[in-house]
């Protein structure tokens, strides 16, 4: 619960669920959006409990993939009048924030994997907190190309 990535993704899921209650949606869409929103924080939590850093990173990647799915669903909803523009803008910004924090956390953990310095007990939020000094260095969303370059979906 102390991980900022988990806290922010919990808040995002709550905001998404609130938005889903605002309009009547096709059941399939409501289910998919709800599952992808809930999957982000669930994968962060599951990965954190894994015994090894490689597993942790793998589950963070699953979380990032679920976030990309959520972003795609929200875009679809906005373009098909299931979501008003202001709500979409707010949720899209939250998705970007969560995506940037996830990418920063993954980069920090990958560096620790490489140099062998990872110790879950001493992990601090400052190790991966996305700050304005990184603006422009992180991708605009959770979508990444294999080489690490950002790509808008």
């Amino acid at each position: 619960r102390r991980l900022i990535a988990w806290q922010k993704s919990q808040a995002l899921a709550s905001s998404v669920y609130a938005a889903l209650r605002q309009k009547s949606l096709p059941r399939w869409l409501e289910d998919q959006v709800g599952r992808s929103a809930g999957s982000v924080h669930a994968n962060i939590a599951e990965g954190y409990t894994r015994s090894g850093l490689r597993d942790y990173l793998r589950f963070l990647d699953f979380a990032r993939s679920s976030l990309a799915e959520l972003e795609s669903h929200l875009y679809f909803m906005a373009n098909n009048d299931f979501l008003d523009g202001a709500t979409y803008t707010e949720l899209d910004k939250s998705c970007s924030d969560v995506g940037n924090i996830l990418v920063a956390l993954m980069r920090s953990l990958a560096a620790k994997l490489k140099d062998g310095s990872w110790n879950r007990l001493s992990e601090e939020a400052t190790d991966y907190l996305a700050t304005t000094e990184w603006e422009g260095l992180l991708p605009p969303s959770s979508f990444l190309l294999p080489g690490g370059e950002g790509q808008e979906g």
Side-chain angles (χ1 to χ4, degrees), residues 53 57 105-118:
L53 184 52
L57 285 164
L105 174 59
M106 292 172 75
R107 286 180 179 168
S108 173
L109 292 174
K112 290 177 181 194
L113 177 65
K114 187 175 182 178
D115 70 18
S117 66
W118 183 62

Side-chain angles (χ1 to χ4, degrees), residues 35-128:
R35 275 195 293 272
S36 60
S39 186
V40 177
H41 61 81
N43 276 301
I44 293 169
E46 186 172 353
Y48 188 77
T49 64
R50 294 293 173 146
S51 61
L53 184 52
R54 288 184 197 280
D55 266 352
Y56 186 8
L57 285 164
R58 188 167 55 96
F59 276 86
L60 291 176
D61 194 45
F62 294 157
R64 202 176 51 139
S65 296
S66 294
L67 183 63
E69 179 184 356
L70 175 60
E71 288 175 309
S72 182
H73 289 312
L74 293 174
Y75 184 82
F76 174 83
M77 289 172 63
N79 282 331
N80 289 280
D81 297 322
F82 291 120
L83 199 58
D84 65 80
T87 302
Y88 172 74
T89 299
E90 177 186 323
L91 292 174
D92 187 56
K93 168 84 169 81
S94 293
C95 284
S96 275
D97 291 346
V98 169
N100 286 339
I101 290 169
L102 269 173
V103 168
L105 174 59
M106 292 172 75
R107 286 180 179 168
S108 173
L109 292 174
K112 290 177 181 194
L113 177 65
K114 187 175 182 178
D115 70 18
S117 66
W118 183 62
N119 178 352
R120 181 184 324 221
L121 298 177
S122 69
E123 185 177 74
E124 294 295 327
T126 55
D127 290 343
Y128 65 88

